[in-house]
């Protein structure tokens, strides 16, 4: 089996303890030589400053290419592009451009009066600067706000037409979900890279709630398997096996890149990578 290129997503820490956990996560996964790591925004842009700090620190200290998330939420166009400029000034050349989730307490996205109306406008503005490699989101299962599956394809095509370079998908549970989406994108004339997003399930209850919020289809057999695993105290074993199998199926289907949503908990992601044959590169130093 061909070893895929990998990337990891982190979220910015909000406490001192979380800062140590993020650094431990980076230290655990960096030896696997990801092609980049990304740092998210919180819902409604709540961690905007923390994201900037985390991106800057990781860029300076980890030696890894770092992609900063940037959204349209609760900021004017000028403010958003000024944030992008701070990333560029810090040497960060990769941005994950998203519309963003509504702020807490709101049930739908409402643009800032002077802000970007949606992700396509943000992508176009970033592309016009010529400073960034731009990644965007994609949805193999229908986005909760999309009218139908075709609408998701149309939006993704518009993002690429606006200047995006690569898409990272929302997570999903079955390889066929991604293959169906990939085929539909190719039929629509999309020829830029679409990378599957992988969620190693550290906690089934949390993952299930997350899936329901973002519209990811939960197969009945997954529900049943985790119910039995929880009774037998084998949740971690099942999670590792299912995630490894999903990645293997994707690779056998021609996928050569995987993007892992780590939730700042590196062990399961590391174990899956090991199972796929992705191991730390040993370096021999001071050999007499």
């Amino acid at each position: 089996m061909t070893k895929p290129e990998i990337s990891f997503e982190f979220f910015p820490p909000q406490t001192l303890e979380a800062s140590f956990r993020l650094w431990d996560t980076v230290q655990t996964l960096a030896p696997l030589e990801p092609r980049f790591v990304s740092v998210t925004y919180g819902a409604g842009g709540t961690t905007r400053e923390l994201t900037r700090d985390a991106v800057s620190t990781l860029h300076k200290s980890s030696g890894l290419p770092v992609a900063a998330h940037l959204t349209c939420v609760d900021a004017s166009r000028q403010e958003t592009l000024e944030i992008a400029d701070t990333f560029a000034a810090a040497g960060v050349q990769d941005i994950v451009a998203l519309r963003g989730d509504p702020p807490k307490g709101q049930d739908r996205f409402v643009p800032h009066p002077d802000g970007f109306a949606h992700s396509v406008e943000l992508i176009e503005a970033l592309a016009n600067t010529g400073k960034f490699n731009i990644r965007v989101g994609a949805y193999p299962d229908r986005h909760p706000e999309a009218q139908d599956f075709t609408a998701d394809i149309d939006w993704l095509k518009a993002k690429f037409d606006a200047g995006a370079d690569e898409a990272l998908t929302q997570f999903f549970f079955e390889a066929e979900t991604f293959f169906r989406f990939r085929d539909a994108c190719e039929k629509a004339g999309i020829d830029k890279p679409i990378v599957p997003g992988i969620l190693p399930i550290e906690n089934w209850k949390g993952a299930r709630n997350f899936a329901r919020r973002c519209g990811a289809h939960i197969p009945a057999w997954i529900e049943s398997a985790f119910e039995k695993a929880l009774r037998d105290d084998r949740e971690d074993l099942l999670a590792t096996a299912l995630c490894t199998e999903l990645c293997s199926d994707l690779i056998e289907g021609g996928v050569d890149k995987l993007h892992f949503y780590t939730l700042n908990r590196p062990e399961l992601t590391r174990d899956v990578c090991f199972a796929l044959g992705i191991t730390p590169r040993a370096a021999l130093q001071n050999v007499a």
Side-chain angles (χ1 to χ4, degrees):
M1 183 173 63
T2 303
K3 296 180 185 178
E5 294 183 86
I6 54 173
S7 53
F8 303 122
E9 181 172 294
F10 309 132
F11 56 79
Q14 301 190 50
T15 65
L16 180 60
E17 180 183 357
S19 295
F20 285 120
R21 185 163 64 247
L22 172 59
W23 187 245
D24 287 344
T25 298
V26 174
Q27 292 290 88
T28 298
L29 297 177
L32 299 179
E33 298 185 314
R35 63 192 185 102
F36 72 93
V37 299
S38 66
V39 181
T40 70
Y41 261 31
T46 52
T47 62
R48 184 177 291 121
E49 299 296 330
L50 295 173
T51 296
R52 278 193 283 185
D53 291 344
V55 167
S56 178
T57 300
L58 284 176
H59 177 72
K60 292 177 182 177
S61 61
S62 71
L64 298 172
V66 181
H69 283 219
L70 188 63
T71 77
C72 306
V73 177
D74 198 26
S76 68
R77 291 171 180 253
Q78 181 178 343
E79 289 169 335
T80 302
L81 293 177
E82 285 175 353
I83 293 170
D85 284 340
T86 64
F87 289 139
V92 174
Q93 299 177 331
D94 295 82
I95 284 183
V96 180
L98 307 163
R99 187 202 69 181
D101 296 325
K104 189 174 181 180
Q106 297 183 16
D107 58 0
R108 65 187 182 90
F109 172 80
V110 177
H112 184 283
D114 299 316
F116 294 107
H118 44 68
S119 60
V120 173
E121 289 188 355
L122 172 59
I123 293 159
E124 187 174 22
L126 291 172
N128 286 338
T129 70
K131 298 177 180 179
F132 303 105
N133 179 54
I134 303 169
R135 295 183 173 90
V136 297
Y139 299 88
D141 288 306
R142 185 176 66 85
H143 188 282
E145 297 178 30
Q147 292 183 348
D148 52 34
F149 182 71
T150 302
D152 284 323
I153 306 294
D154 293 341
W155 269 108
L156 181 57
K157 190 173 189 305
K159 293 175 186 180
F160 280 129
D161 290 343
D165 299 288
E166 181 177 87
L168 308 172
T169 79
Q170 182 59 270
F171 71 90
F172 50 89
F173 294 103
E174 296 176 306
E176 185 57 37
T177 300
F178 176 78
F179 294 143
R180 182 184 68 249
F181 179 70
R182 183 182 64 181
D183 291 347
C185 288
E186 290 178 358
K187 186 176 180 180
I190 295 173
D191 58 3
K192 290 189 178 179
I194 301 173
V195 179
I198 306 297
L199 179 69
I201 301 173
E202 294 278 355
N203 177 283
W204 171 241
K205 182 178 179 181
R208 180 178 57 193
N209 291 339
F210 188 17
R212 288 171 176 168
R213 289 198 304 272
C214 70
H217 171 67
I218 305 172
W221 67 268
I222 290 271
E223 289 262 23
S224 177
F226 271 102
E227 287 175 4
K228 293 177 182 177
L230 287 167
R231 287 198 301 267
D232 298 337
D233 195 26
R234 294 184 177 181
E235 185 179 13
D236 288 348
L237 182 62
L238 174 65
T240 303
L242 289 181
C243 190
T244 302
E245 182 178 14
L246 172 61
C247 293
S248 296
D249 289 345
L250 290 168
I251 294 166
E252 290 176 2
V255 169
D256 60 2
K257 297 179 179 66
L258 299 170
H259 183 67
F260 288 90
Y261 299 110
T262 72
L263 303 183
N264 292 14
R265 298 171 183 170
E267 290 81 10
L268 181 51
T269 296
R270 177 201 59 200
D271 292 347
V272 170
C273 287
F274 283 4
L276 297 173
I278 304 166
T279 54
R281 178 173 295 177
L284 297 178
Q285 297 180 345
N286 299 324
V287 178

